[in-house]
């Protein structure tokens, strides 16, 4: 119990293992609350025009945050701040922190005012009727503009909270950053429940705005205050560390990664049919749960440790750690994908069907979820490869590469959408993120930051083969419990089929890994091998040294 209490103390400095465990737990909790948020939206508004407008309203705020901040707050700043801490230059670290906060907050405020003014023009271009005559109706466009303007100021608080979170992560303090998204999602639900009758779906946007202040912003600021992080307003743009940060951040600000642009592209093409954005987005959000657990949490925890190894010039350990992390995440993703693809319909139906979200909506969303699930390994692995570049202080190479991939993917989205409809967008998403992964992996290998030859390909092959067999067996078993042909579905059928699929999948995976003599179960169980084994060994030596 004492270890558990110490584990969740705000001031506890985490190891690579405990940081990953904490972030995975927080992500799971956040996704549970996110599910409650989406379930409430599905119940209250269904897959209709208002929900489409609400989902599309996040596009311009997300775009502002991406262009102005570019993820630089929590990526490039960590590398610089961590280096200062390693060199015992705490004053330089604090000064750089203050300059970045001051300058970029001013830029964000100006950007927010500009986008508030031009929001109608952007929305009409993004989702309005095009040459084909398809798109949002005038009423949907008016609602989308209104919701967009409510959501835009939240980006200021997301940005500042992101920079402060980077400070906490550099100090290996993960608790406050981990719970920011949880608080954010809670406020969206509270906003909808309290203000739904008076403000309609706009109550969700107001909840998101307040949640951005209470969650990502205040949670991180309180955590920083507890460790004595100082802030003094400064516009010293001539500071060398600030200029270095700008140099590293510009590629992230100007480049367009398909990881972010994918959602924008999906919303743009899906705006032609009522409810298409909502059904596609719900499928993508449920798919984002395993991405967050396997990719995002591991990636977020990995960056400070990757940066530490690289800054200490331990390049062989850096390369081995990146490869080892990708292997574990990819192998687990193969196995999870098999279960997700077979369980798509009962899972979607249980999660979303209620109120105005009907069984026919579940069937359509399940098709999208099935195809998204095929690319779980691609999404999870590419995040770790990207962070390997960022830890090495190279943002230009990956952003040029992913920008080229994004541009090359645009015709793929267009062709597949116009040929196969909305399901073609899910296929295009898989193809695009696959190209993204291959490009990052090959560039890391070319730059000799990692060696693809040293990847544990045999073990990955065993996991992929086991996943394919387990998925096939589970699919045949699932056919024993068909859904109601009336189109209404059945909760009992959902639960029965999900249980059968899960038990069969688990048994097939266990048997397959045992028969193939896979080392994956042992690799995942070992504490020091769970993540970043070289870092864990160094930390163990430091602990022993401190006890002398």
């Amino acid at each position: 119990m004492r270890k558990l209490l110490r584990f969740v103390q705000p001031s506890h400095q985490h190891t690579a293992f405990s940081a990953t465990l904490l972030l995975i737990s927080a992500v799971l909790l956040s996704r549970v609350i996110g599910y409650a948020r989406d379930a409430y939206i599905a119940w209250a508004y269904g897959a209709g025009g208002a929900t489409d407008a609400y989902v599309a309203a996040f596009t311009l705020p997300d775009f502002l945050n991406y262009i102005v901040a570019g993820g630089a707050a929590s990526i490039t700043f960590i590398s610089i701040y961590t280096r200062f801490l390693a060199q015992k230059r705490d004053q330089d670290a604090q000064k750089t922190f203050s300059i970045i906060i001051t300058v970029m907050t001013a830029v964000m405020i100006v950007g927010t005012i500009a986008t508030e003014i031009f929001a109608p023009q952007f929305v009409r271009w993004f989702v309005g009727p095009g040459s084909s005559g398809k798109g949002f109706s005038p009423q949907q466009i008016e609602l989308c503009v209104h919701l967009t303007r409510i959501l835009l100021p939240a980006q200021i608080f997301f940005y500042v909270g992101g920079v402060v979170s980077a400070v906490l992560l550099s100090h290996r303090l993960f608790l406050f950053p981990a719970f920011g998204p949880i608080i954010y999602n809670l406020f969206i639900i509270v906003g909808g429940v309290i203000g739904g009758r008076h403000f309609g779906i706009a109550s969700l946007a107001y909840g998101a705005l307040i949640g951005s202040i209470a969650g990502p912003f205040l949670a991180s600021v309180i955590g920083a205050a507890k460790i004595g992080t100082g802030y003094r307003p400064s516009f010293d743009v001539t500071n060398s560390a600030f200029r270095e940060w700008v140099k590293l951040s510009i590629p992230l600000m100007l480049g367009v990664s398909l990881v972010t642009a994918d959602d924008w592209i999906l919303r743009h093409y899906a705006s032609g049919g009522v409810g298409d954005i909502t059904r596609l987005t719900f499928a993508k959000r449920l798919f984002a749960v395993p991405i967050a657990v396997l990719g995002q949490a591991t990636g977020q925890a990995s960056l400070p440790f990757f940066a530490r190894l690289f800054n200490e010039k331990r390049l062989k350990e850096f390369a081995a750690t990146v490869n080892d992390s990708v292997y574990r995440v990819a192998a687990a993703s193969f196995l999870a994908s098999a279960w997700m693809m077979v369980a798509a319909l009962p899972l979607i139906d249980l999660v979303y069907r209620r109120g105005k979200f009907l069984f026919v909506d579940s069937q359509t969303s399940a098709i999208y979820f099935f195809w998204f699930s095929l690319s779980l390994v691609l999404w999870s692995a590419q995040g770790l490869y990207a962070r390997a570049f960022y830890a090495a202080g190279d943002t230009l190479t990956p952003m040029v590469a992913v920008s080229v991939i994004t541009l090359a993917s645009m015709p793929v989205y267009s062709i597949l959408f116009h040929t196969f409809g909305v399901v073609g967008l899910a296929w295009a998403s898989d193809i695009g993120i696959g190209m993204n992964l291959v490009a990052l992996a090959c560039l890391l290998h070319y730059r000799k930051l990692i060696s693809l030859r040293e990847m544990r390909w045999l073990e990955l092959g065993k996991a992929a083969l086991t996943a394919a067999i387990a998925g096939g067996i589970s699919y045949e078993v699932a056919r024993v419990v068909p859904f109601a042909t009336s189109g209404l579905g059945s909760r009992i059928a959902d639960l029965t089929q999900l249980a059968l699929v899960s038990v069969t999948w688990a048994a097939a995976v266990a048997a397959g890994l045992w028969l193939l003599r896979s080392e994956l179960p042992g690799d995942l169980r070992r504490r020091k091998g769970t993540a970043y084994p070289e870092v864990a060994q160094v930390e163990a030596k430091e602990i022993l040294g401190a006890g002398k």
Side-chain angles (χ1 to χ4, degrees), residues 41-66:
I41 296 172
W43 171 80
Y45 303 100
T51 317
D52 284 353
Y54 171 73
V55 173
F58 283 87
T59 305
L60 183 56
D62 290 346
F63 186 71
L64 169 66
N65 188 286
Y66 186 84

Side-chain angles (χ1 to χ4, degrees), residues 2 16 57-58 135 233 246 278-279 327 343 389 400 440 481 496-497 519:
R2 291 180 61 186
F58 283 87
V246 171
T278 301
R279 288 185 286 267
Y327 148 66
F389 266 115
V400 169
L440 290 175
V481 185
T496 304
Q497 192 175 84
E519 299 176 6

